[in-house]
């Protein structure tokens, strides 16, 4: 087990022509944690992770993987790091599933049993199937198995559940949780909010090659406006009067006639003030719901854009 961080990235820069795909990105992955790089397509997640895997060289900045340089120390790192690429099995289409997994196991000093691992990723039935005949979701699961077969200390998973059906996705999430329970460090990229929220100890929100926010899902959704309240009532309530009695920083909108949205620091006091104001107006607030902010709301506030672009 490494004593230092699993991954350290400082001021990373990578340009393709005049475009900076990664633009001064820094992040830190404590050993044994799961960190998700979350961002829309083109944000720079794959470029960042491929530099950390030693497949691309940065233009500037520092990367340390298990305390080592991913390019200069590639030979030493190879058995300690598992890599799941976006198109991970594309080059091995002639072999069968189990043959490919055995091949990867043969490179490791203490590999997992290939058949057991196929069971874990739900590919037992497809063990004898040629890789090129696997569905997209099955290829993803094989790619995950290939990344894990050598018992790595750190794994990089690039969009691990892309193209998977919901059942496989949840199975993969369970597998990632069990990796963490075994002390394995995991760095994954995703543009799925629930994936980041479900799995990650820390989320690094990336947009246009930069980190725009970083923290646990709870920390990220707590900062700034805490939440929102929705309710239905008769149309045309005098919302300017409502805003006057709500805490500073709250907003009140009627996006559609008779439907109301209150945003701000949603405390019990704010809720009491709102319902008291409705009572004073002799209005019954119906279907009132207090909603938590999601990472999607956070992303929208930080960048002005939806996560899925
Ligand atoms: P996705 O979710 O689509 O994989 P991403 O966040 O992983 O997106 P990158 O693949 O790192 O983003 O791409 C970042 C930017 O760099 C994009 O604008 C992309 O078009 C560009 N890019 C990536 N690879 C290359 C390359 N080899 N040559 C030129 N431009 C590239």
């Amino acid at each position: 087990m490494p004593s230092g961080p699993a991954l350290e990235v400082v001021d990373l820069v990578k340009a393709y022509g005049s475009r900076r795909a990664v633009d001064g990105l820094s992040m830190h992955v404590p050993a044994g944690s799961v960190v998700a790089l979350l961002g829309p397509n083109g944000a720079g997640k794959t470029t960042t992770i491929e530099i950390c895997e030693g497949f691309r060289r940065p233009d500037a900045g520092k990367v340390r993987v298990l305390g080592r340089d991913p390019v200069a120390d590639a030979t030493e790192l190879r058995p300690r790091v598992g890599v799941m690429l976006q198109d991970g099995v594309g080059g091995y289409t002639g072999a069968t599933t189990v043959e490919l997994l055995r091949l990867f196991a043969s490179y490791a000093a203490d590999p997992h049993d290939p058949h057991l691992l196929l069971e874990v990723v739900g590919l037992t039935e497809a063990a004898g199937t040629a890789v090129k005949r696997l569905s997209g979701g099955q290829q993803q699961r094989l790619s995950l198995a290939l990344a894990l077969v050598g018992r790595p200390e750190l794994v990089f998973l690039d969009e691990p559940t892309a193209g998977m059906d919901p059942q496989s996705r949840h199975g993969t999430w369970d597998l990632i949780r069990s990796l963490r329970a075994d002390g394995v460090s995991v760095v994954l990229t995703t543009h799925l909010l629930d994936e980041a929220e479900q799995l990650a100890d820390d989320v690094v929100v990336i947009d246009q090659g930069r980190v725009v926010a970083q923290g646990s899902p709870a920390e990220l959704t707590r900062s700034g406006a805490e939440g929102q309240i929705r309710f239905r009532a008769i149309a045309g309530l005098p919302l300017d009067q409502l805003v006057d009695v709500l805490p500073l920083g709250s907003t009140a909108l009627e996006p559609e006639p008779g439907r109301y949205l209150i945003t701000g620091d949603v405390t019990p006091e704010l809720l009491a003030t709102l319902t008291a104001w409705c009572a004073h107006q002799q209005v019954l607030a119906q279907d009132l719901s207090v909603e938590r902010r999601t990472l999607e709301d956070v992303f929208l506030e930080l960048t002005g854009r939806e996560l899925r672009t």
Side-chain angles (χ1 to χ4, degrees), residues 16 19 21 40-47 56 86 159:
Y16 299 111
R19 187 188 150 81
N41 291 336
K45 306 182 296 294
T46 297
T47 303
R56 289 179 194 272
Q86 256 183 36
E159 308 229 351

Side-chain angles (χ1 to χ4, degrees), residues 139-159:
Q139 290 198 1
Q140 281 288 98
R141 283 182 276 148
L142 174 56
S143 187
L144 181 60
L146 296 175
L148 302 182
V149 71
R151 294 184 200 272
E153 294 163 48
L154 164 65
V155 284
F156 290 106
L157 309 175
D158 199 356
E159 308 229 351

